[in-house]
Amino acid sequence: MASASRDVITGRGSHSKVKSAKLLEVLNAMEEEESSNNREEIFIAPPDNASGEFTDEDSGDEDSQRGAHLPGSVLHASVLCEDSGTGEDNDDLELQPAKKRQKAVVKPQRVWTKRDIRPDFGSWMASDPHIEDLKSQELSPVGLFELFFDEGTINFIVNETNRYAWQKNVNLSLTTQELKCVLGILILSGYISYPRRRMFWETSPDSHHHLVADAIRRDRFELIFSYLHFADNNELDANDRFAKVRPLIIRMNCNFQKHAPLEEFYSFGESMCEYFGRRGSRQLYTGKPLRLGYKIWCGTTSRGYLVWFEPSQGTLFTKPDRSLDLGGSMVVKFVDALQERGFLPYHIFFDKVFTSVKLMSILRKKGVKATGTVREYRTERCPLKDPKELKKMKRGSFDYKVDESEEIIVCRWHDSSVVNICSNAVGIEPVRVTSRHSGTAKTRTQVHQPSLVKLYQEKVGGVGRMDQNIAKYKVKIRGMKWYSSFIGYVIDAALNNAWQLHRICCQDAQVDLLAFRRYIACVYLESNADTTSQGRRSRRLETESRFDMIGHWIIHQDKRTRCALCHSQTNTRCEKCQKGVHAKCFREYHIR
């Protein structure tokens, strides 16, 4: 080897001699020598000005850099070499090149063919006995809401809140009735909003709300709301930014999935929880109705029932799966949650934020159908017509190719703009003719539309429908803690899910979302009102709510009581009035 490569360290205990060579010289010497039997360890000494221009950041992909492209400070750095420690004088040892790094395995390129897809998924034959059971129970709006905020969840919140107050040396002694009053006020704030929440308790005739004032005292509400807690501070996960609400997220996801309608089509997307504080998980998104807040990954049914959700923490706290980005990893987690109810041929729809050919391949191996718009650089070099060329063609023109090995189709369709759609389950045929609005001509024109485009447009809007329902009457009361807005989002999501079940189970006597929320708020505030405090009336106000014709439901009760109208024994009562009433006396009692 060249003489420059012979300047090495020879090992003789602590009296080793140090001779150094330049890295550029060693690299040139290594290129001249093709093979050698001795192996030594090579170490690049830091340059003299290392403190000035070197950082902890990566300089790029190591496999892609060559010696000639390294910085000059590295090429002229000293190179040291240690022998194997035999104790002999190794001045004549030659510096041998290190073992060459193995080249990365090159993935085989996909073979794309111009034909329609031939999927091998089974047809949807599943039934939903749980929904049939809910229909037979004829649950009221309160009963549907308490499928999610059930007794276990309410007791858990009460215990964690009392524990947190005790840790702060405050004897709160919160009860389940008081917590339901707090929930009722939060729900009511969605459709009755004041600039200051204390105005609910003011005696001024323009702001006083007797339903709130008679349910719980103002200072008691403020004290409970300030100590509302959902986790033990001694057991928080430092790697989870949402550790303070993680137990609640787990419980709500469990209840949402337990009572979710079993359907074939689901949507996956992003939702926003409004937040204007300074916490690190806050994100800014342009083009969204809510631009500032927490981003939440959501999986919903096509009608907007929230099945699974997870607040986004970025790649720093959430490690994506191998070969997928963070969005694709969240889709896989949602699919895993769905398959806990059974390995059925679900069909998931999502937009270009998540879609990739690799994700379609993974879902296909899991037995799940998927369709979504896709960005061009994620199509794995599918040879479709150039978008500029397709724009020159007639509106409704399209091009498509299918991967031969995995039956994944990519279609490029010319609508008002060029759209790329990828699917592992739906193909081109049958091509339908649809009416589309023309902005230039200000008329509607007939264009050809492939089958996967039509199905995608029909089923993808589940997350948007949920966001629309939440935004109408969302909880307005916010606290000083960063997670108070997130708790309001969870309550709104539970109300939306309860209303979706109401639409499915009570098709003959449906109420709109506003009446649904009003009923739950009134029942929680009236049935859990504090009647033991000094100066409060011993009986509940009923002069207005009895005759308001809103949200009165007859339910079964285990203990027989007197009917409020005919005074004979009955085992049914009005859930809102909390009075025993016969079914035959029910209507007359509420109109007299």
Side-chain angles (χ1 to χ4, degrees):
M1 184 177 289
S3 60
S5 65
R6 295 194 179 97
D7 296 334
V8 298
I9 291 182
T10 58
R12 283 193 177 184
S14 62
H15 301 286
S16 299
K17 295 184 297 180
V18 178
K19 296 181 180 181
S20 63
K22 301 303 181 183
L23 175 61
L24 185 58
E25 298 172 353
V26 176
L27 291 175
N28 293 333
M30 290 171 61
E31 291 178 356
E32 296 175 2
E33 294 292 335
E34 294 294 331
S35 62
S36 177
N37 296 326
N38 298 327
R39 294 183 59 190
E40 297 182 354
E41 297 180 359
I42 299 175
F43 167 70
I44 303 176
D48 296 335
N49 62 342
S51 61
E53 64 181 29
F54 274 65
T55 67
D56 293 332
E57 297 180 359
D58 293 336
S59 58
D61 188 0
E62 294 180 2
D63 294 336
S64 64
Q65 289 190 357
R66 302 179 63 182
H69 295 155
L70 291 173
S73 58
V74 177
L75 288 172
H76 295 88
S78 300
V79 179
L80 308 180
C81 179
E82 270 190 351
D83 65 357
S84 58
T86 58
E88 300 177 358
D89 191 0
N90 294 327
D91 287 342
D92 297 332
L93 280 176
E94 292 185 349
L95 179 63
Q96 302 296 336
K99 189 176 180 180
K100 293 183 179 180
R101 185 189 299 270
Q102 293 183 355
K103 294 183 179 180
V105 179
V106 179
K107 297 181 180 179
Q109 292 187 356
R110 297 181 182 271
V111 179
W112 298 95
T113 307
K114 183 68 175 286
R115 64 170 177 83
D116 203 358
I117 192 174
R118 293 192 289 266
D120 55 355
F121 295 98
S123 57
W124 181 265
M125 301 294 293
S127 59
D128 193 355
H130 180 67
I131 293 297
E132 297 298 327
D133 184 46
L134 290 179
K135 289 181 179 179
S136 63
Q137 295 182 32
E138 297 182 355
L139 294 176
S140 67
V142 172
L144 292 171
F145 177 71
E146 290 181 348
L147 293 176
F148 311 113
F149 276 86
D150 54 6
E151 184 178 357
T153 303
I154 294 294
N155 290 332
F156 164 77
I157 298 174
V158 168
N159 294 334
E160 291 299 335
T161 302
N162 286 330
R163 187 207 305 270
Y164 177 67
W166 178 79
Q167 292 173 349
K168 298 295 183 180
N169 298 321
V170 175
N171 184 18
L172 186 62
S173 300
L174 175 65
T175 64
T176 57
Q177 285 188 339
E178 289 177 321
L179 179 60
K180 288 185 177 181
C181 281
V182 172
L183 289 177
I185 294 173
L186 294 178
I187 296 171
L188 183 138
S189 70
Y191 58 90
I192 298 179
S193 179
Y194 289 137
R196 301 184 183 92
R197 61 173 178 257
R198 291 193 168 203
M199 293 177 67
F200 282 110
W201 289 270
E202 287 184 358
T203 56
S204 301
D206 63 330
S207 63
H208 178 75
H209 199 286
H210 76 87
L211 193 61
V212 174
D214 292 338
I216 187 172
R217 290 188 178 274
R218 181 198 64 192
D219 292 344
R220 181 63 176 172
F221 171 83
E222 294 288 351
L223 183 66
I224 294 172
F225 192 64
S226 63
Y227 284 100
L228 208 58
H229 217 66
F230 306 91
D232 187 356
N233 283 348
N234 297 324
E235 299 179 358
L236 298 180
D237 184 3
N239 296 322
D240 186 1
R241 284 185 172 181
F242 288 85
K244 285 185 176 288
V245 291
R246 180 59 58 184
L248 181 65
I249 293 174
I250 294 174
R251 284 178 173 271
M252 299 310 294
N253 270 330
C254 180
N255 290 339
F256 287 169
Q257 295 166 33
K258 179 180 178 181
H259 303 289
L262 188 60
E263 298 180 2
E264 179 181 3
F265 302 110
Y266 294 87
S267 296
F268 192 86
E270 301 166 312
S271 179
M272 291 293 291
C273 172
E274 191 176 48
Y275 174 68
F276 300 101
R278 299 180 180 179
R279 186 167 175 80
S281 298
R282 181 188 64 175
Q283 301 184 30
L284 174 65
Y285 282 88
T286 58
K288 295 276 188 179
L290 296 177
R291 297 197 305 167
L292 196 64
Y294 303 126
K295 181 172 72 173
I296 301 176
W297 309 107
C298 295
T300 69
T301 64
S302 58
R303 299 183 69 175
Y305 179 100
L306 180 61
V307 181
W308 179 89
F309 71 102
E310 173 66 28
S312 174
Q313 306 184 60
T315 55
L316 183 62
F317 291 87
T318 306
K319 299 302 180 184
D321 295 339
R322 180 177 295 181
S323 73
L324 287 177
D325 58 2
L326 182 58
S329 300
M330 292 296 107
V331 174
V332 174
K333 287 187 177 181
F334 171 56
V335 169
D336 292 339
L338 282 180
Q339 291 186 333
E340 292 180 1
R341 299 185 67 181
F343 291 87
L344 300 172
Y346 303 108
H347 197 149
I348 316 296
F349 296 85
F350 34 77
D351 60 18
K352 59 186 178 181
V353 175
F354 311 94
T355 313
S356 66
V357 174
K358 181 63 178 177
L359 177 60
M360 293 293 175
S361 175
I362 292 175
L363 296 181
R364 183 177 180 275
K365 292 175 182 177
K366 289 178 172 287
V368 174
K369 308 173 188 177
T371 303
T373 54
V374 61
R375 294 188 172 107
E376 185 175 358
Y377 70 89
R378 290 182 177 176
T379 60
E380 298 193 11
R381 301 181 180 179
C382 181
L384 298 174
K385 287 183 179 179
D386 188 82
K388 295 181 180 179
E389 180 183 351
L390 201 60
K391 280 186 176 180
K392 297 177 182 178
M393 302 174 66
K394 183 181 178 181
R395 186 175 180 180
S397 302
F398 57 90
D399 188 22
Y400 59 94
K401 292 289 187 349
V402 174
D403 176 31
E404 286 285 351
S405 60
E406 294 188 309
E407 291 296 325
I408 297 174
I409 188 171
V410 179
C411 175
R412 181 168 290 166
W413 180 55
H414 177 209
D415 190 25
S416 56
S417 62
V418 175
V419 181
N420 299 321
I421 297 185
C422 183
S423 179
N424 63 6
V426 187
I428 300 297
E429 298 295 336
V431 178
R432 296 177 175 86
V433 177
T434 184
S435 176
R436 308 289 289 178
H437 177 73
S438 176
T440 56
K442 296 184 179 180
T443 58
R444 301 192 70 85
T445 58
Q446 302 295 317
V447 299
H448 290 88
Q449 189 179 54
S451 180
L452 75 165
V453 177
K454 179 177 177 59
L455 186 62
Y456 174 81
Q457 291 180 343
E458 290 177 353
K459 303 297 183 180
V460 74
V463 177
R465 294 184 183 96
M466 180 201 69
D467 283 339
Q468 184 182 23
N469 294 336
I470 289 178
K472 285 181 178 178
Y473 315 108
K474 64 181 179 181
V475 173
K476 301 293 194 310
I477 293 179
R478 297 286 187 267
M480 296 297 294
K481 292 184 171 59
W482 63 265
Y483 51 81
S484 63
S485 60
F486 183 79
I487 300 307
Y489 181 91
V490 173
I491 295 173
D492 290 330
L495 288 165
N496 168 72
N497 285 359
W499 183 63
Q500 295 292 345
L501 292 179
H502 167 75
R503 295 174 64 193
I504 297 173
C505 299
C506 305
Q507 297 181 356
D508 297 334
Q510 289 186 8
V511 296
D512 61 8
L513 181 58
L514 176 58
F516 189 87
R517 295 178 68 115
R518 290 181 63 188
Y519 176 81
I520 295 174
C522 291
V523 170
Y524 266 29
L525 291 174
E526 289 185 346
S527 61
N528 297 286
D530 181 15
T531 58
T532 60
S533 299
Q534 183 179 2
R536 292 186 180 273
R537 283 163 285 189
S538 60
R539 62 185 181 88
R540 192 175 296 106
L541 290 174
E542 58 180 79
T543 55
E544 293 184 10
S545 62
R546 175 181 172 182
F547 306 109
D548 60 5
M549 304 298 291
I550 297 175
H552 295 274
W553 296 76
I554 187 168
I555 61 175
H556 178 79
Q557 58 182 3
D558 296 332
K559 186 178 180 181
R560 293 175 64 86
T561 57
R562 294 277 183 183
C563 176
L565 186 66
C566 66
H567 305 294
S568 60
Q569 295 288 330
T570 178
N571 58 358
T572 57
R573 61 185 172 90
C574 175
E575 185 180 33
K576 183 175 181 179
C577 301
Q578 293 295 311
K579 295 289 186 179
V581 184
H582 286 107
K584 62 181 181 181
C585 304
F586 189 80
R587 183 177 181 276
E588 187 177 358
Y589 172 75
H590 289 96
I591 62 176
R592 283 182 57 178

